[in-house]
Amino acid sequence: MDRDMTDCCPVNVAPGEERKGHLIPNGNGHQGANGSLVSGGGVATPVVRPGYPERETWTRQMDFIMSCVGFAVGLGNVWRFPYLCYKNGGGVFLIPYILIVLVGGIPIFFLEIALGQFMKAGSINVWNIAPLFKGLGYASMVIVFFCNTYYIMVLAWGFYYFVKSFSATLPWSTCDNPWNTDSCIEIFRHDECHNGTIGNATFGNMTCEELANGRSPIIEFWENKVLNISEGLDYPGSMNWEVVLCLLATWVIVYFCVWKGVKSTGKIVYFTATFPYVVLIILLVRGVTLPGAYDGIMYYVKPNWSKLGEAQVWIDAGTQIFFSYAIGLGALTALGSYNRFNNDCYKDAFMLALINSGTSFFAGFVVFSILGFMASEQGVDISQVAESGPGLAFIAYPKAVSLMPVAPLWAALFFFMLLLLGLDSQFVGVEGFVTGMMDLLPEKYYVRYRREISVAICCLLCFIIDLSMVTQVSRALPGAAAGPGHLHCL
């Protein structure tokens, strides 16, 4: 008989409800104190196949809440939503965003958690409830595997920037480094470029055209030092060993966060999911005190009602919901499978949706207060410095903090926050993948340390694949400046 939900939790099986090797829970059952299903007569009737371990459950329900917050609230909330809001009409963007949250985001979010909680299985075996759709489970495993593989590259870059922040002078703020070119220009205020020339002690007399063709040190640090872009696709070049070490360290952290299951993961997320909010508040307080912050925030929230008629605004709202809510990856199903059978996941879904969307909106004030300051310092319009994705995290924001007093402190805080935001999303993604795969293991493979071994194999395989992403990427590839892939999974 195929493995089903009785493999990982006790179930009541009504006569005639075993169909083609799939056991369907009896809807008349209720959960007892020990997690078993209790029949209408109040007698616990666990049905457990020998050789299979009992399904783990969260120590406290708050462990589940914090894990979902850590997974769903990630980099996309900080570097994608604020830019989309600004690009699509400011405050007006919230109208299609909220509508799609209510009609699509929350219902699907609830469905994934509820399915996992009811079936007590990961994203593959959960479809024993409707075997015809089991292919969806396999598809979600493929997606989450590839997301786990290249999502961690962002964390490796963030870890690299974080380490480089511990220096008296930020390496991306000057042009006197080995990776800089002759075109590197540290500071250029466009509003001071009058009558075709500008003179200063550092660069001498140069035409505005020559200065306009200059390259910022942060861009050269990103392209020439971090990515080390090669001449073409046929020249992969060598590995960036500093980034390789950061990548290895990140995978080691992820492994030790996941290897013991939800009992340990549920504790770690209390820090990784909450501390980024502390950093966001600190950065917001600092940001609003900088010159130009008000103009940046107004660019973010000022409504442009004409945008509502554009289809792209509604498309962006829908895609952002699916990205930031982590829908369709199977990890939410895995997290829900560790809930108590009678947990109120309906209430949880609304609470998590409010936290997720609220974080996205709040992060916009942090980002645009800093971008407003950056635009003010450079004498340009905010539209010229507003970025999304890796362009915001590794170019625009580092450039902005380099202009602040005590720049290394703010850089370290920002990249530490970035690292934590991505870490909990990463190890919950790995948890979802490992849970789905372990649910498929036959009874004879249930041995001691099976979980530790499974997580180690997953992390090692992903690390080996990731080594191809720390070579010199090609400038000919689309989005090369953004690193491998377009990171839409974020």
Side-chain angles (χ1 to χ4, degrees):
M1 181 183 293
D2 295 336
R3 185 169 176 238
D4 46 52
M5 66 165 289
T6 58
D7 301 340
C8 49
C9 76
V11 295
N12 225 3
V13 183
E17 286 191 321
E18 184 171 350
R19 295 289 187 270
K20 296 181 181 178
H22 300 287
L23 295 180
I24 304 173
N26 182 357
N28 297 325
H30 302 282
Q31 190 180 41
N34 63 352
S36 61
L37 292 184
V38 183
S39 65
V43 179
T45 55
V47 180
V48 182
R49 288 175 62 184
Y52 285 89
E54 185 180 352
R55 189 76 167 185
E56 284 185 291
T57 57
W58 302 102
T59 305
R60 295 190 260 331
Q61 193 54 31
M62 185 55 68
D63 296 356
F64 166 71
I65 298 295
M66 298 307 296
S67 295
C68 285
V69 169
F71 179 62
V73 177
L75 300 175
N77 298 76
V78 174
W79 75 16
R80 193 168 190 268
F81 176 86
Y83 177 78
L84 289 180
C85 192
Y86 149 76
K87 186 185 94 170
N88 292 309
V92 169
F93 182 68
L94 296 178
I95 296 176
Y97 181 85
I98 292 174
L99 283 176
I100 297 176
V101 164
L102 295 176
V103 302
I106 294 178
I108 301 177
F109 194 89
F110 166 71
L111 175 64
E112 289 203 29
I113 295 175
L115 271 176
Q117 181 173 313
F118 180 73
M119 294 296 292
K120 291 292 183 182
S123 61
I124 296 179
N125 274 8
V126 75
W127 289 106
N128 285 341
I129 195 172
L132 181 63
F133 298 103
K134 204 167 185 178
L136 294 176
Y138 286 102
S140 67
M141 285 294 94
V142 173
I143 294 172
V144 79
F145 176 78
F146 283 116
C147 284
N148 289 339
T149 300
Y150 69 81
Y151 185 95
I152 203 167
M153 282 308 306
V154 182
L155 307 187
W157 296 331
F159 195 102
Y160 184 74
Y161 272 79
F162 176 68
V163 172
K164 292 294 184 180
S165 298
F166 291 95
S167 58
T169 302
L170 295 175
W172 57 82
S173 63
T174 62
C175 288
D176 55 358
N177 302 290
W179 57 82
N180 292 126
T181 65
D182 295 335
S183 302
C184 181
I185 299 175
E186 292 183 11
I187 298 176
F188 173 47
R189 287 190 56 91
H190 293 263
D191 57 348
E192 293 179 358
C193 187
H194 298 299
N195 300 322
T197 61
I198 180 173
N200 60 53
T202 304
F203 304 105
N205 293 326
M206 300 178 66
T207 66
C208 288
E209 182 179 357
E210 291 172 335
L211 289 173
N213 293 329
R215 288 167 58 83
S216 169
I218 179 59
I219 294 179
E220 295 204 339
F221 178 78
W222 172 240
E223 294 186 356
N224 300 342
K225 177 64 175 174
V226 181
L227 298 182
N228 197 12
I229 296 178
S230 66
E231 298 176 355
L233 183 60
D234 57 337
Y235 182 71
S238 59
M239 292 184 183
N240 187 333
W241 290 105
E242 291 181 333
V243 179
V244 170
L245 291 177
C246 292
L247 176 65
L248 177 62
T250 308
W251 269 120
V252 170
I253 293 172
V254 170
Y255 175 77
F256 285 108
C257 287
V258 178
W259 71 323
K260 289 298 183 182
V262 296
K263 298 295 184 184
S264 61
T265 304
K267 304 300 181 292
I268 296 169
V269 290
Y270 278 90
F271 175 73
T272 59
T274 57
F275 189 76
Y277 288 94
V278 176
V279 178
L280 281 173
I281 292 172
I282 293 174
L283 292 176
L284 177 63
V285 172
R286 176 55 181 153
V288 296
T289 61
L290 296 171
Y294 176 79
D295 294 332
I297 292 174
M298 285 299 101
Y299 260 80
Y300 172 53
V301 299
K302 185 178 179 181
N304 180 359
W305 296 98
S306 63
K307 289 283 188 178
L308 279 180
E310 298 181 10
Q312 188 60 44
V313 174
W314 295 82
I315 294 173
D316 285 344
T319 54
Q320 176 61 20
I321 294 299
F322 277 77
F323 291 149
S324 66
Y325 279 42
I327 293 171
L329 298 180
L332 293 175
T333 304
L335 294 179
S337 71
Y338 298 113
N339 278 339
R340 299 185 312 276
F341 186 80
N342 58 354
N343 173 62
D344 188 359
C345 56
Y346 184 72
K347 179 184 68 177
D348 292 344
F350 276 93
M351 181 194 309
L352 291 167
L354 180 62
I355 294 173
N356 193 315
S357 297
T359 302
S360 298
F361 187 64
F362 175 73
F365 290 93
V366 179
V367 170
F368 273 86
S369 63
I370 301 296
L371 292 182
F373 162 72
M374 181 178 172
S376 174
E377 287 293 298
Q378 294 186 336
V380 298
D381 189 76
I382 295 176
S383 61
Q384 297 185 38
V385 298
E387 296 276 357
S388 69
L392 172 66
F394 300 111
I395 296 178
Y397 213 97
K399 174 64 176 176
V401 297
S402 69
L403 302 175
M404 298 182 189
V406 201
L409 171 64
W410 303 112
L413 273 177
F414 174 74
F415 287 111
F416 187 56
M417 177 198 70
L418 204 70
L419 190 60
L420 291 182
L421 279 174
L423 265 179
D424 45 19
S425 296
Q426 178 71 22
F427 64 66
V428 173
V430 173
E431 171 69 42
F433 179 79
V434 171
T435 297
M437 293 295 102
M438 289 182 63
D439 283 348
L440 296 177
L441 288 177
E443 178 181 340
K444 62 180 180 179
Y445 291 113
Y446 272 74
V447 296
R448 191 178 182 187
Y449 302 122
R450 62 193 173 276
R451 180 178 182 83
E452 290 86 344
I453 296 172
S454 299
V455 175
I457 293 173
C458 174
C459 292
L460 180 61
L461 179 60
C462 290
F463 173 74
I464 293 173
I465 296 174
D466 287 334
L467 291 178
S468 65
M469 303 182 190
V470 292
T471 57
Q472 295 175 260
V473 295
S474 170
R475 191 181 298 273
L477 289 174
H486 293 282
L487 303 174
H488 285 316
C489 190
L490 313 182

